[in-house]
């Protein structure tokens, strides 16, 4: 698997995100620096527990435990920046967007907001260095944001950086990085739903930052409308049925996590865009 690293200009940032989703060009409002985002508290790479692709999955060495993280639209509840136990997370199927990992989606919403706040706060301050948490090595974000960069452009930049961070998570886990020590995550790296769910979350996060509603309320509303636009199924059973249709083709529940052979189909061609899985 080969990955080419490259620098992006503001033009390519806009092009990348606008090719993935149509952002309303008439939307010029952008939220100001929020007072509930702690710039000194860098979000963890994984804010919420993410999901393995499939259901009725089993853990190696742990008998009589099955992993089942399917949810329905009725389980979504309100979005909360940086997470809340009342939030619905899990996987849901949509006819136009394929399988969507709601945990991934919510994480990217929050990372987009956090980075937007950092970028806004960095305008006109010259080089700003932001040490990030380790993930297969030390990560550091270097920013030099011109004072004339508009808030709308800051939202696009935050979305682009969030997308790059989400890709690094897939790359690093492919090569052995893990959130839990001695628990390799290659079994879920580049699974078919991850990157599209990430990009969808960035789209929702950018729209929420353009909203005049409070951020959590906006994100909650846009999550529902976005899933509706993708013809999300209404019951958990329909997601189970969709999983059954790809069992032993895209994943297998005959192997145990964390064996990489649990995942049979992956989507690594994601540097510039992503398609539903």
């Amino acid at each position: 698997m080969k990955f080419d690293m490259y620098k992006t200009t503001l033009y390519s940032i806009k092009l990348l995100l606008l090719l993935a989703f149509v952002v309303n060009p008439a939307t010029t409002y952008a939220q100001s620096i929020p007072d509930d985002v702690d710039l000194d508290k860098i979000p963890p790479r994984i804010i919420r527990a993410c999901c393995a692709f499939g259901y009725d999955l089993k853990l190696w060495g742990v008998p009589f435990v099955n992993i089942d993280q399917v949810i329905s639209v009725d389980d979504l509840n309100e979005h909360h920046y940086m997470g809340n136990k009342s939030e619905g997370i899990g996987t849901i199927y949509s006819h136009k967007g394929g399988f969507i990992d709601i945990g991934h989606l919510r994480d990217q919403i929050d990372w987009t907001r956090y980075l937007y706040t950092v970028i806004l706060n960095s305008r006109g301050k010259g080089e700003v260095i932001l040490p990030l948490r380790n993930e297969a090595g030390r990560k550091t974000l270097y920013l030099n944001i011109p004072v004339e960069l508009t808030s709308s452009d800051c939202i696009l930049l935050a979305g682009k950086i969030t997308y790059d961070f989400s890709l690094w998570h897939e790359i690093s886990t492919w090569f052995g990085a893990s959130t839990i020590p001695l628990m390799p995550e290659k079994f879920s790296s580049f699974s078919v739903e991850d990157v599209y769910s990430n990009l969808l979350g960035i789209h929702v996060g950018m729209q929420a930052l353009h909203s005049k509603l409070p951020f959590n309320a906006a994100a909650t509303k846009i999550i529902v409308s976005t899933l509706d636009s993708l013809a999300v199924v209404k019951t958990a059973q329909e997601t189970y049925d969709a999983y059954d249709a790809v069992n032993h083709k895209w994943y297998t529940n005959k192997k145990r996590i964390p064996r990489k052979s649990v995942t049979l189909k992956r989507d690594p061609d994601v540097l510039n865009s992503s398609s539903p899985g």
Side-chain angles (χ1 to χ4, degrees), residues 15-251:
L15 181 61
L16 170 66
L17 292 170
L18 293 176
L19 282 176
F21 296 100
V22 177
V23 178
N24 185 352
T27 301
T28 57
Y29 177 83
Q31 294 188 2
S32 58
I33 296 177
D35 56 13
D36 62 335
V37 174
D38 185 351
L39 293 177
D40 295 325
K41 185 178 180 181
I42 299 172
R45 182 61 261 168
I46 300 298
I47 302 170
R48 301 161 180 86
C50 59
C51 306
F53 185 79
Y55 80 98
D56 192 26
L57 302 173
K58 300 171 181 63
L59 284 170
W60 183 85
V62 184
F64 312 118
V65 174
N66 292 346
I67 298 175
D68 182 347
Q69 296 169 308
V70 169
I71 65 170
S72 73
V73 289
D74 294 333
D75 302 321
L76 290 173
N77 299 324
E78 295 182 359
H79 180 81
H80 295 267
Y81 175 72
M82 293 297 291
N84 182 283
K85 63 181 181 180
S86 67
E87 289 178 334
I89 57 173
T91 306
I92 194 167
Y93 183 73
S94 64
H95 292 290
K96 296 181 180 179
F99 294 94
I100 297 171
D101 187 322
I102 301 299
H104 273 249
L105 180 143
R106 291 191 192 276
D107 277 9
Q108 306 320 312
I109 291 172
D110 292 351
W111 264 101
T112 302
R113 188 192 193 200
Y114 173 77
L115 289 172
Y116 169 68
T117 307
V118 169
I119 291 166
L120 275 187
N121 193 59
S122 301
R123 281 193 297 193
K125 295 183 178 180
E127 184 177 67
V128 173
I129 301 174
L130 183 65
L132 300 170
R133 298 169 186 264
N134 286 355
E135 188 175 29
R138 182 181 300 170
K139 296 188 300 183
T140 303
L141 178 63
Y142 295 85
L143 295 171
N144 196 332
I145 308 300
V147 69
E148 64 267 23
L149 199 69
T150 69
S151 295
S152 292
D153 284 337
C154 289
I155 290 175
L156 284 171
L157 181 58
K160 176 59 173 67
I161 296 173
T162 299
Y163 186 67
D164 285 348
F165 281 176
S166 71
L167 288 187
W168 175 248
H169 176 72
E170 301 301 319
I171 295 169
S172 65
T173 52
W174 178 266
F175 287 104
S178 62
T179 304
I180 302 173
L182 304 179
M183 181 73 165
E185 297 178 32
K186 190 171 183 176
F187 71 91
S188 69
S189 179
F190 290 106
S191 59
V192 293
E193 86 289 7
D194 277 355
V195 178
Y196 184 77
S197 300
N198 291 339
L199 194 56
L200 195 65
I202 293 166
H203 169 61
V204 172
M206 291 194 302
Q207 282 198 340
L209 288 169
H210 277 297
S211 173
K212 294 183 180 180
L213 292 174
F215 183 82
N216 288 335
T220 299
K221 181 178 180 180
I222 297 167
I223 288 171
V224 172
S225 63
T226 299
L227 292 177
D228 283 345
S229 73
L230 295 173
V232 67
V233 298
K234 302 304 181 184
T235 66
Q237 184 58 52
E238 291 170 280
T239 296
Y240 286 122
D241 293 343
Y243 269 134
D244 287 340
V246 295
N247 192 12
H248 307 308
K249 298 176 183 178
W250 291 8
Y251 80 101

